[in-house]
Amino acid sequence: MGAAKEIHQRSLAELARGLDAGDFSSRELTVALLARIDEHQARLNAFITITGEEALARADIADKARASGDAGPLNGLPIAYKDLFCTKDVLTTCGSRILENFVSPYDATVVERLNSAGAVMLGKTNMDEFAMGSSNETSYYGPVTNPWNTKLSPGGSSGGSAAAVAARLTPAATGTDTGGSIRQPAALTGTVGLKATYGRVSRFGMVAFASSLDQAGVITRTAEDAAMLMGVMAGFDKRDSTSVDHPVADYVGGLSRPVKGLKIGIVRQHFDEGLDADCAEKVNAALAALKAEGATLIEIDLPNIDLSVPTYYVVAPAECSSNLSRFDGVRFGRRSENSEDLLDLYSRSRGEGFGAEVKRRIMTGTYVLSAGYYDAYYLKAQKVRQLISQDFRKAFANVDVIAGPTAPTTAFAIGEKTDDPITMYLNDIYTIGANLAGLPGISVPCGFADGLPVGLQLVGPHFAEEAILACAHQYQQLTDWHEQAPGEFA
Amino acid sequence: MSLNKDQIEYIATLARLKLQDDEIADMVDKLSRIVDFVDQLQAAPTDDVLPMAHPLNMCQRLRADEVTESDQRDQVQKNAPLVEDGYYLVPRVLE
Amino acid sequence: MSTDWEVVIGLEVHTQLATKSKIFSGSSTAYGAEPNTQASLIDLGYPGVLPVLNAEVVRMAAKFGLAVNATVAPRSIFARKNYFYPDLPKGYQISQLELPIVEHGELFIRDESGAEKRIGITRAHLEEDAGKSLHERFDKMSGIDLNRAGTPLLEIVSEPEMSSAKEAVAYMRKIHSIVRYLEISDGNMQEGSFRCDANVSVRPRGQKELGTRTEIKNLNSFRFVEKAINFEVERQIELIEDGGEVRLETRLYDSAKDETRPMRSKEEANDYRYFPDPDLLPVELDAEFIEAVRKTLPELPDAKKQRFVDQYQLKSADAEILTVSRALADYFETTAEKSAAVAQVAANWIVGGLSAALNKDGLDIRNSKIAADELAGLLDRIEDETISGKIAKEVFDAMWLGEGSADEIIAEKGLKQITDTGAIEKIVAAVIEANPGQATDYRAGKEKLLGFFVGQVMKETGGKANPGQVNEIIKRKLAE
């Protein structure tokens, strides 16, 4: 049940028990993981910054706190932060050259809460630049590789977090999800990825990509671990106007809710030719397993779901084109040298500082907001978004959760999809709907196709984190996909 | 729908992005494809639909009028690209 | 044949709201701090920061809306106005476009003929102010100070219904008066808390279409507004009459040269790509909120002016002057209430001598060297004939210099009016005796010489004899 496991194989919950039992100290745990991170960094490139010294300092504080009975709920437990979260006095790059020298003067709310609970920060994980990408290939700091096959992408944009957790370098890492950036890499790396309801977790300190779609979450190996972390991260923050003042449920306590009687909606449109046949098989098997436990599978229709990717690729670039205007080389970040005039300063700082995908999205966004195009694109997309949300609302009148594949294929080769932007965008086809409607979603490993992980996605109505976590947890009690580690990282 | 080079250059200026020649050509191609792709939206039945700006139907919270921030200049300007006498410097702007 | 030109003017007034903290952050709005010491991470547009709306800003905007009979929107939206400029840290300004907080208001001014004219207020919306740039101080560089970035602004947009520079100034003065009455702005133009942009165009009288307009930005005094508009109108007329066309452009007023010129940095038309700010939610105000704000409305200038005319029987022109500011109006009322004299007397003194003294020393009524109750004391001494009106001026000057109260100064300088008939009679007799020639001439019919005798008596009494009594006694004695 965990006693025979090595330290890096243990889940967060198992580590917590081990620390409490005195099996090892937080320092020992931290030293072990830092060593693994170092060992595999060149191969995986999962981290941009490794905060070795700070980690050991925090571990020592945690050990003292445990001894004096002062321990917070995550005392001494390791965590890595996606480099999109601002961390005080630590380099925060967002995977971009334009922030290559940006040491944040403050902590994001998510970081504050996890640190206050006693978590030990191991480092900042690699990511697609400014969270724009589905393969972690757009990072200025080089691509992240998938521990299951290092020629393959781990997915994105939270690729570094997913790879680090899959490779057992850390039991947990935070991520952000705007169109699927937590769930899709989780599916491609055989880990659990949870995105909260929009407004559930504070966005203060989480560098904005698309403000009305961005939401924080975690990547772990078990639903139980995700529940532990979400319990600390979730909650109202007065510094975020879009933060919701809604009570935080006891996610860990709610995990034992049985699957029996659960009404699971299956989206007809999701099981079409776009979905790889082997993946479909694994997802269907998972659904069958849930049915065998007493869940009811109900076919539902989301009539406008096919428009979710084009809708997203109008709304997200529009918002990001505005959000990224603050990166101009004037007050922080990288400034181009020898500027002739102000226009030159701006254009070159940004032209040199941003990568190709980011520039494409800024350009797309600028275009769809520009005079003459606003009504046809941005306004239109926000209306279609309303339609898609209505579809979900109608569906949830009849079902408790919606289940299906997280991604259309298993992990793809690095470099394979970078030529045509649309092909890359279609990776998010099953995940984007939840972002447009602000719904919580989780991906949980449900098997392997050709030796590569497949993910099952569960989406719930607003604030139904408890329900989807419970369903995922119960599924993990029936299966052991999540216990399987990629060969050299076992 | 295809965008042309002039449009791309205009958008790049609005967005303050200096593009190299090869970037411009790539941008013309990729943006045209993206715009083609999102043009699917035109067919959607949205006549009686209100645009959605937020996933949740919430309204803006108001905060009390209190001064809660103090002088952070020194700490913040430690990492600024170019400052003098507390001012951020940029190439001179003519009005 | 010369065209009869009609001038069309619309004004956009930007007034800084007098809150303690900024519209979206908890930084102080105090004027004059060292550069960038009142610029928080939110004001600086750092990665990851978010705006949270100041409640007082909303209340103040609603208050303004109610004061100008406008609709306070039950639902309003913040929008991003996207453009790049060093004093705009986020690369966008949070403003309001389609659903502003206030719409369809009005106020009343006097036009050139003195008749009342209604000027429509199209809308008033909330936005954040930008920072400041210093262009002269650093070699080849501009220095950016973001203390002001994020200060709340209320932008008040008029209908293009003013027909002359004078009307424009009257409107601007009225807005200035209202925002100070409401205590939502200090209206300090030197410090930049009250600025005006003027949209000016001309067209041949009778033409329906508006001519092309130009926008003159950042006028920060009533005088400059008037001069800038007058210059611009002439410039446009000359241009058109010479066969040219007015260009749609933004211009600045150069007060040293008394001319407007195009603003270089705004030469290219900017596409602001407005869209609703996704970091902020719709502002929803219910009837309860608006009622609570309505209860805080003070008596407004127009109502106060009418009341002064009705209650104190003041001349309309005086009431108008006294109600320009609440402080001045309150000063007048305190004086009028405390003094036994008729209110018009207080009005005369305040509009006359007191205003002159304040202007000379560059003081505001709130820093008057003579308090309202002290002035009332002086007026009472005139009323009860302790001193004459002429002596009162001397007492006033002494009070202004801080020499004491009216009573103290009258006693100290022995300025009490001489009303003792016997004493006056003695002096009159002496004067008549000393001037037999004039006495004979007066008795012969030169009645104008009365003034001479009055003057002599006044000279003898150091001006302290009661003028009415002096007149009467001289006439009587000369008739003997």
Side-chain angles (χ1 to χ4, degrees):
Chain A
M1 228 210 74
K5 280 188 185 168
E6 293 200 45
I7 228 174
H8 63 270
Q9 295 169 329
R10 299 186 196 207
S11 71
L12 216 58
E14 287 165 346
L15 288 172
R17 287 194 284 275
L19 286 169
D20 280 341
D23 294 344
F24 44 82
S25 67
S26 186
R27 175 166 260 259
E28 284 169 328
L29 165 57
T30 306
V31 165
L33 292 176
L34 286 172
R36 273 182 76 81
I37 291 171
D38 265 335
E39 189 189 338
H40 299 295
Q41 175 59 14
R43 194 95 189 286
L44 296 175
N45 199 24
F47 283 82
I48 292 176
T49 302
I50 300 164
T51 51
E53 269 179 48
E54 293 95 326
L56 293 171
R58 283 187 194 272
D60 288 342
I61 292 171
D63 285 331
K64 283 203 192 74
R66 181 168 307 103
S68 65
D70 246 343
L74 300 174
N75 197 68
L77 293 172
I79 191 136
Y81 293 111
K82 181 177 184 177
D83 212 10
L84 195 60
F85 289 93
C86 288
T87 41
K88 187 165 197 275
D89 299 334
V90 173
L91 193 65
T92 299
T93 70
C94 304
S96 180
R97 186 185 193 195
I98 213 167
L99 291 179
E100 65 185 359
N101 59 356
F102 179 66
V103 175
S104 176
Y106 75 111
D107 275 331
T109 298
V110 162
V111 172
E112 260 179 23
R113 289 190 180 188
L114 291 168
N115 287 350
S116 299
V120 173
M121 172 173 62
L122 298 173
K124 308 295 292 297
T125 58
N126 202 345
M127 51 177 284
D128 276 308
E129 188 181 1
F130 284 109
M132 299 182 207
S134 309
S135 64
N136 219 130
E137 291 176 273
T138 70
S139 170
Y140 177 65
Y141 304 93
V144 175
T145 63
N146 192 322
W148 293 91
N149 178 337
T150 54
K151 289 201 179 63
L152 307 182
S153 155
S157 62
S158 310
S161 290
V165 171
R168 276 80 179 145
L169 306 184
T170 173
T174 62
T176 67
D177 190 313
T178 305
S181 292
I182 286 175
R183 293 161 287 154
Q184 182 252 21
L188 269 43
T189 55
T191 53
V192 169
L194 171 68
K195 171 191 103 68
T197 305
Y198 185 83
R200 176 78 287 184
V201 179
S202 171
R203 290 189 299 115
F204 187 77
M206 198 174 105
V207 180
F209 157 22
S211 316
S212 74
L213 300 165
D214 294 342
Q215 189 53 196
V218 286
I219 296 180
T220 57
R221 296 191 294 273
T222 66
E224 181 183 21
D225 287 355
M228 277 173 71
L229 291 169
M230 187 52 66
V232 172
M233 287 165 65
F236 176 67
D237 181 9
K238 64 181 184 184
R239 290 176 292 187
D240 175 357
S241 292
T242 60
S243 170
V244 186
D245 195 356
H246 185 97
V248 179
D250 177 6
Y251 300 126
V252 174
L255 292 172
S256 56
R257 189 197 304 191
V259 162
K260 187 171 161 71
L262 190 70
K263 288 183 283 184
I264 300 178
I266 312 294
V267 181
R268 211 168 29 83
Q269 288 92 344
H270 281 175
F271 289 82
D272 62 8
E273 341 71 59
L275 176 61
D276 175 88
D278 288 331
C279 292
E281 195 193 310
K282 299 299 171 214
V283 171
N284 280 319
L287 294 172
L290 289 169
K291 185 173 175 186
E293 284 299 298
T296 319
L297 304 183
I298 300 168
E299 190 175 281
I300 60 164
D301 194 14
L302 296 175
N304 296 288
I305 203 69
D306 287 341
L307 292 174
S308 51
V309 180
T311 301
Y312 176 87
Y313 281 99
V314 169
V315 174
E319 292 182 6
C320 97
S321 71
S322 180
N323 283 331
L324 266 58
S325 293
R326 66 191 64 199
F327 300 105
D328 56 12
V330 174
R331 301 166 310 291
F332 53 81
R334 185 184 177 281
R335 172 188 283 218
S336 60
E337 312 221 341
N338 305 319
S339 312
E340 284 172 14
D341 54 27
L342 186 65
L343 179 62
D344 192 43
L345 175 74
Y346 282 152
S347 317
R348 274 201 302 123
S349 296
R350 293 160 59 78
E352 292 164 8
F354 290 136
E357 183 61 31
V358 167
K359 282 191 272 198
R360 257 198 293 279
R361 299 210 193 182
I362 291 175
M363 296 282 288
T364 305
T366 305
Y367 176 72
V368 302
L369 288 175
S370 66
Y373 297 104
Y374 177 83
D375 283 358
Y377 290 108
Y378 187 77
L379 199 58
K380 183 78 179 181
Q382 292 287 44
K383 290 183 180 182
V384 177
R385 188 176 174 182
Q386 188 78 264
L387 286 178
I388 293 169
S389 298
Q390 283 169 8
D391 288 351
F392 275 105
R393 214 171 299 133
K394 285 190 198 127
F396 282 123
N398 300 317
V399 302
D400 302 315
V401 303
I402 295 172
T406 308
T409 65
T410 53
F412 44 86
I414 291 170
E416 179 184 309
K417 301 200 186 188
T418 41
D419 201 46
D420 179 16
I422 310 302
T423 316
M424 185 62 83
Y425 295 166
L426 288 171
N427 271 298
D428 298 326
I429 198 162
Y430 304 126
T431 48
I432 274 181
N435 300 89
L436 293 174
L439 305 169
I442 190 169
S443 178
V444 62
C446 70
F448 292 86
D450 279 333
L452 294 171
V454 178
L456 168 74
Q457 181 182 229
L458 303 167
V459 173
H462 293 137
F463 303 112
E465 284 82 358
E466 209 182 347
I468 58 177
L469 279 165
C471 184
H473 175 75
Q474 292 304 316
Y475 179 74
Q476 288 190 315
Q477 304 301 100
L478 304 168
T479 61
D480 66 354
W481 307 118
H482 57 288
E483 298 282 6
Q484 294 178 35
E488 46 192 299
F489 301 97
Chain B
M1 199 198 95
S2 255
L3 275 72
N4 62 42
K5 188 160 176 276
D6 283 339
Q7 282 175 295
I8 294 298
E9 286 177 346
Y10 173 67
I11 296 167
T13 307
L14 270 185
R16 297 298 188 266
L17 291 174
K18 187 173 175 75
L19 300 176
Q20 307 305 320
D21 289 333
D22 56 339
E23 283 180 295
I24 294 177
D26 183 66
M27 203 61 84
V28 172
D29 170 49
K30 299 247 162 58
L31 243 67
S32 297
R33 288 201 238 179
I34 293 168
V35 171
D36 257 338
F37 176 68
V38 303
D39 268 337
Q40 290 175 60
L41 294 176
Q42 302 312 319
T46 57
D47 280 339
D48 293 316
V49 183
L50 288 173
M52 180 168 89
H54 286 281
L56 306 161
N57 242 343
M58 285 176 8
C59 67
Q60 177 65 33
R61 202 176 57 80
L62 302 176
R63 120 187 107 82
D65 182 26
E66 281 160 3
V67 175
T68 54
E69 301 271 9
S70 56
D71 177 9
Q72 298 149 54
R73 186 175 84 186
D74 290 339
Q75 196 218 1
V76 158
Q77 286 189 343
K78 256 194 314 216
N79 292 316
L82 188 59
V83 294
E84 195 178 308
D85 295 342
Y87 290 89
Y88 294 97
L89 297 191
V90 296
R92 183 171 295 163
V93 185
L94 298 167
E95 277 188 348
Chain C
M1 188 203 83
S2 84
T3 323
D4 181 16
W5 293 100
E6 189 189 352
V7 177
V8 177
I9 301 164
L11 291 187
E12 286 167 18
V13 174
H14 290 84
T15 185
Q16 274 181 8
L17 296 177
T19 53
K20 288 185 273 199
S21 64
K22 295 184 178 180
I23 183 171
F24 296 116
S25 80
S27 299
S28 166
T29 54
Y31 183 82
E34 284 297 297
N36 292 305
T37 54
Q38 283 174 191
S40 72
L41 297 180
I42 294 167
D43 307 325
L44 293 168
Y46 259 58
V49 299
L50 296 169
V52 186
L53 182 59
N54 183 331
E56 193 58 26
V57 165
V58 179
R59 258 178 241 124
M60 288 183 169
K63 215 167 164 183
F64 177 79
L66 293 173
V68 296
N69 289 330
T71 310
V72 176
R75 188 165 188 271
S76 65
I77 307 276
F78 282 102
R80 294 189 185 179
K81 179 180 182 182
N82 296 281
Y83 66 97
F84 286 88
Y85 204 70
D87 65 7
L88 194 68
K90 296 188 291 295
Y92 60 86
Q93 177 195 32
I94 302 177
S95 178
Q96 296 189 295
L97 183 73
E98 283 174 355
L99 288 180
I101 189 163
V102 166
E103 273 194 306
H104 309 310
E106 62 184 5
L107 60 70
F108 295 86
I109 60 168
R110 299 246 161 233
D111 70 13
E112 309 254 15
S113 72
E116 194 179 71
K117 180 171 177 178
R118 177 190 178 280
I119 307 286
I121 293 173
T122 317
R123 51 184 276 150
H125 70 253
L126 290 170
E127 57 185 30
E128 53 177 354
D129 207 348
K132 282 199 193 146
S133 315
L134 257 63
H135 303 296
E136 305 304 316
R137 182 164 156 173
F138 303 95
D139 184 39
K140 295 200 194 80
M141 305 292 268
S142 292
I144 313 296
D145 172 15
L146 295 167
N147 281 348
R148 200 182 65 178
T151 303
L153 289 180
L154 185 66
E155 179 175 328
I156 304 161
V157 181
S158 81
E159 294 286 345
E161 291 175 347
M162 287 158 269
S163 325
S164 70
K166 282 215 173 345
E167 284 185 9
V169 172
Y171 170 88
M172 192 177 162
R173 283 188 183 279
K174 203 55 179 284
I175 297 271
H176 190 249
S177 182
I178 291 172
V179 300
R180 289 173 66 213
Y181 257 72
L182 297 175
E183 293 179 308
I184 63 176
S185 174
D186 65 12
N188 188 325
M189 287 181 269
Q190 280 78 18
E191 290 183 358
S193 29
F194 193 85
R195 327 193 278 263
C196 176
D197 297 340
N199 290 299
V200 182
S201 69
V202 298
R203 64 182 170 190
R205 196 169 296 280
Q207 177 180 295
K208 268 217 180 79
E209 262 168 29
L210 289 169
T212 307
R213 65 174 170 83
T214 60
E215 184 185 14
I216 312 169
K217 285 198 86 62
N218 286 334
L219 297 160
N220 64 353
S221 85
F222 299 123
R223 224 176 107 243
F224 290 167
V225 167
E226 190 168 353
K227 285 159 107 41
I229 293 175
N230 281 331
F231 175 89
E232 184 59 19
V233 166
E234 249 186 71
R235 184 191 77 85
Q236 289 190 11
I237 290 174
E238 259 181 54
L239 179 62
I240 298 172
E241 286 182 341
D242 281 348
E245 266 179 26
V246 175
R247 278 179 60 196
L248 176 68
E249 62 187 356
T250 310
R251 300 173 76 88
L252 284 179
Y253 176 67
D254 183 331
S255 56
K257 296 184 184 166
D258 188 24
E259 63 181 24
T260 66
R261 57 175 169 77
M263 208 172 154
R264 264 175 286 194
S265 58
K266 302 245 170 167
E267 256 159 28
E268 4 117 8
N270 233 318
D271 183 349
Y272 294 120
R273 291 156 280 136
Y274 281 96
F275 71 104
D277 193 325
D279 288 330
L280 292 165
L281 302 172
V283 179
E284 289 181 6
L285 304 177
D286 58 19
E288 211 184 296
F289 180 96
I290 295 175
E291 269 323 293
V293 172
R294 193 188 296 279
K295 289 200 171 70
T296 68
L297 285 176
E299 184 181 36
L300 293 170
D302 286 354
K304 200 184 279 287
K305 179 196 156 183
Q306 191 56 48
R307 182 169 67 77
F308 279 11
V309 167
D310 296 339
Q311 183 179 337
Y312 298 107
Q313 282 82 54
L314 291 190
K315 287 186 266 181
S316 179
D318 289 336
E320 178 104 23
I321 294 169
L322 291 172
T323 56
V324 166
S325 84
R326 242 170 107 178
L328 189 62
D330 290 348
Y331 185 100
F332 159 75
E333 274 204 280
T334 307
T335 309
E337 294 299 315
K338 294 215 157 156
S339 168
V342 145
Q344 183 65 52
V345 174
N348 293 341
W349 274 88
I350 294 169
V351 170
L354 184 68
S355 291
L358 288 168
N359 281 336
K360 184 153 170 273
D361 287 0
L363 294 173
D364 178 79
I365 186 68
R366 280 168 293 199
N367 301 318
S368 170
K369 295 191 178 164
I370 298 176
D373 58 341
E374 291 168 348
L375 181 63
L378 174 63
L379 299 182
D380 283 349
R381 294 291 84 82
I382 305 171
E383 175 71 10
D384 65 20
E385 301 200 324
T386 307
I387 53 174
S388 67
K390 196 145 172 260
I391 292 289
K393 290 196 172 75
E394 210 183 302
V395 177
F396 179 92
D397 289 343
M399 284 169 77
W400 190 262
L401 291 171
E403 289 176 24
S405 71
D407 285 340
E408 284 163 1
I409 293 165
I410 290 168
E412 163 93 22
K413 300 192 182 203
L415 294 173
K416 240 174 124 161
Q417 200 165 221
I418 299 171
T419 51
D420 174 0
T421 321
I424 297 178
E425 292 210 354
K426 279 211 180 94
I427 296 170
V428 167
V431 163
I432 293 175
E433 215 187 292
N435 299 280
Q438 287 87 336
T440 313
D441 287 344
Y442 177 84
R443 286 185 186 116
K446 277 199 175 152
E447 299 204 335
K448 270 202 179 142
L449 285 171
L450 181 64
F452 166 76
F453 283 103
V454 170
Q456 290 299 304
V457 171
M458 283 307 190
K459 212 160 124 205
E460 285 300 311
T461 61
K464 287 184 287 187
N466 180 306
Q469 282 174 287
V470 166
N471 259 279
E472 187 263 323
I473 291 169
I474 291 176
K475 278 190 200 155
R476 191 165 27 89
K477 285 231 173 266
L478 284 172
E480 278 170 5

